[in-house]
Amino acid sequence: MARYAREVAVVAFAQSDHLRRTDELSEVEMVMPVLHKVLAATGLKAGEIGFTCSGSSDYLAGRAFSFTMTLDGVGAWPPISESHVEMDGAWALYEAWVKIQTGEADTALVYSYGKSSPGSVRDVLTRQLDPYYVAPLWPDSVALAALQAQALIDAGETDEAGLAEIGARSRASAGANPHAQLSGAVAQGDYQVAPLRTGDCPPIGDGAAAVILAAGDVARRLCERPAWITGIDHRIEAHSLGLRDLTDSPSTRIAAEHAGVFESPVDTAELHAPFSSQEVVLRKALGLGGDVAVNPSGGALAANPMMAAGLIRIGEAAARIHRGESDRAVAHATSGPCLQQNLVAVLEGDRA
Amino acid sequence: MSTTGKEPVAVVGIGQTKHVAARHDVSIAGLVREAAARALADAELTWADIDAVVIGKAPDFFEGVMMPELYLADALGAVGKPMLRVHTAGSVGGSTALVASNLVAARVHRTVLTLAFEKQSESNAMWGLSLPVPFQQPLLAGAGGFFAPHVRAYMRRTGAPDTVGSLVAYKDRRNALKNPYAHLHEHDITLEKVQASPMLWDPIRYSETCPSSDGACAMILTDRAGAARSPKPPAWVHGGAMRSEPTLFAGKDFVSPQAGKDCAADVYRQAGITDPRREIDAVEMYVPFSWYEPMWLENLGFADEGEGWKLTEAGVTELDGDLPVNPSGGVLSTNPIGASGMIRFAEAALQVRGQAGEHQVPDARLAMGHAYGGGAQFFAMWLVGAEQPGT
């Protein structure tokens, strides 16, 4: 615990049901129940929170400054200490964790959300690529992931049957997750972009998540078994796919080293791997053996609400610690094409 | 909550691009790299000395690139490092610097590059801000349409004469002539020209509005040990805070938002300031429309309620006045939106480092950087000083 100035834990987690479409809900209406749920879990009111931070993307909302309206849903009156990252909520959690480390706050509310249903998310994500040389070609996110999957197959790291098993296992695990979008026996389906079939790809959907962080004794007061963040780090790689070995994720490995993942065994891993092939890459980077429960929630193959799916991994890992089902878990979030940017957190519960 | 354990944070490098209407000669990556390289050169550091990068900009629609930090990782030497992307509307340049500052203060990283940019020539900012949203109040035609009624409310509330706005614009445009990085260099500016410029959003005239700029601003923030190695005098962070309030609700005071007052009060508390008007030597204030100078003078506690315009009218905020506001020329002369807040923060640091050149306020020891955004709902501020806090 001496790695950082203060002990900080995830003390509460809430998420929406993740759905293919939520035409009848505005983003505010989607986020508010989740905020109420996570605050109720701790008994805190919005005005009692030391720092608030959110993650979302204007491109999904289709308008500039989209997060300003969701802030209204928080009830930021009297005014609050607040910030926003145009990233997955896992990075909003990181900013909030830093804020608590400075001593300027003892608690933080972190939330994120995304609605992919109003547009074509495969097209939207092409706007994330190098705007001069790559984006004009409109290569979509599934095609890029397929390049990575084919590189893994060519390198002998997996095969199509191995990928299919990952998809099937994830959706089977999601049977125990009432919020998941896809669960149970989902057909592997036809090729989306070879070698990836429908079953290797994440569902497209809308959803939101929220987490409350607290420091030291405040965490102990708010939660019976806090999920202590004993390490957290994130790293980015080169953008161009031609500059990277797509069968590996050095940024995940560096982040894991800094977060202390390799210092002792983990029993649970919540990995943000939207494509089955990406789980193969992440397992290798994190050195996960067969004895680790990987994505017991079903992971991103069961529900992948853009901008929230990474925060959900941290929340799911923490929730397992809260329930006593895990003692030491690793949570991972990703951003960018083919795992360009990765965040790794280690969560631990007090041992009995 | 204890803040005594925080690491002191120093600004040891500052870099800006020359801000212009359109940088056709560089890509977005080229633009940000130029500012970052200048900040590194100023600090006499290399890319290898940087532990993390914190980048900010306003809406992605301005350049048409979703989460451009992914593509910019290479240009900013971030490969293998942590990179965060902050977005808090118009206040983002300030918030981005504060997030970077917190990384050092929390001792998570020792030396951090922070950068904010906008390449507004890639699109049209006014219409980029005016996308209609069902069931919500439209922002009218750009930010001016949103803010003009609040300026009118200020004038009615305080009885300020309608000449005050043009005084601010005339002052800021003259100050910009002393700043080589400023976008607008109107060598033939006169007060009469400002007053004769076309009315855009009554009572805001053309010459009382900010331009649309391409530009980037970068800073190198570091800890005590880093500051000790700095070849030039550092600027020390004495206080920093962010505050937000909702966009629309019945109790909101658009003329003097509570979040701005609370944010300033927090910064003054951290820095031990009890009389900001006397203790602070220079202010870089976010004034995109000229009337926001008197409005923010009151909101930030430099003047009593209803009295801000009197300071402006009396010349207190001139470069040679006793509370110079926007010696750099401010947002009215340079507005790459996402970078504008960071430019305020960086210009405040330049002042206390004694590096502001022709627009230097003599013997500035303590300076404020201020930014706001959204529907006057997001605030970010910092106070920087020539001395290390607590010494």
Side-chain angles (χ1 to χ4, degrees), chain B residues 143-156:
Chain B
F146 182 83
F147 290 117
H150 310 315
V151 170
R152 186 58 81 185
Y154 172 79
M155 296 167 77
R156 192 176 301 125

Side-chain angles (χ1 to χ4, degrees), chain A residues 293-305:
Chain A
V294 174
N295 288 336
S297 68
L301 286 164
N304 188 40

Side-chain angles (χ1 to χ4, degrees), chain A residues 15-34:
Chain A
Q15 61 184 316
S16 65
D17 290 342
H18 307 294
L19 304 167
R20 178 61 187 87
R21 310 200 68 86
T22 54
D23 295 345
E24 73 289 4
L25 293 179
S26 71
E27 287 171 336
V28 183
E29 290 166 323
M30 193 171 71
V31 169
M32 278 189 76
V34 177

Side-chain angles (χ1 to χ4, degrees), chain A residues 80 82 84 104 132 236 341, chain B residues 6 28 66 80 83 87 244:
Chain A
I80 58 173
E82 188 264 348
H84 172 263
E104 290 173 14
Y132 304 97
I236 197 165
Q341 189 176 24
Chain B
K6 279 197 294 184
I28 299 169
M66 180 186 188
M83 188 173 195
H87 181 194
S244 310

